[in-house]
Amino acid sequence: MKSKYGYKVCYREYGKTKLKIHLITNSFDLANWEVQYYENNEQLDRNTHKLIKEPTWYILPIKTYIEYKFLWRGCPF
């Protein structure tokens, strides 16, 4: 699974159908490490700061340059 633009770490709460983006990273190894950490430690939603209930975590590649630019536009650093 190789992507030249990076990866999205997403989750789906139990009983919901929508995927939410939790983190964006440039490397698959870092995304995989983050998912392993999130599976062992409870996480809060980044917008509402509420506990995420029974999430299923996914690593998805960023496929296009336009998606890449859109996702990184609000990056604080």
Side-chain angles (χ1 to χ4, degrees):
M1 189 172 185
K2 182 109 168 128
S3 173
K4 66 179 181 179
Y5 298 115
Y7 299 90
K8 303 177 280 190
V9 176
C10 304
Y11 67 91
R12 178 181 293 142
E13 287 187 81
Y14 179 75
K16 306 267 178 141
T17 58
K18 184 176 181 183
L19 281 175
K20 289 182 135 185
I21 297 173
H22 193 68
L23 178 75
I24 304 163
T25 182
N26 287 329
S27 75
F28 181 77
D29 292 335
L30 181 58
N32 194 28
W33 185 86
E34 293 287 345
V35 166
Q36 290 175 357
Y37 177 80
Y38 295 157
E39 288 174 344
N40 294 323
N41 299 290
E42 295 180 336
Q43 294 296 307
L44 300 176
D45 184 275
R46 297 202 184 255
N47 294 328
T48 63
H49 304 290
K50 293 182 181 178
L51 186 64
I52 302 171
K53 297 178 184 174
E54 300 181 41
T56 303
W57 296 96
Y58 301 94
I59 300 173
L60 303 173
I62 298 172
K63 297 179 181 178
T64 65
Y65 181 73
I66 295 170
E67 181 183 12
Y68 169 79
K69 293 300 275 183
F70 178 76
L71 291 172
W72 282 100
R73 73 184 158 139
C75 184
F77 47 84

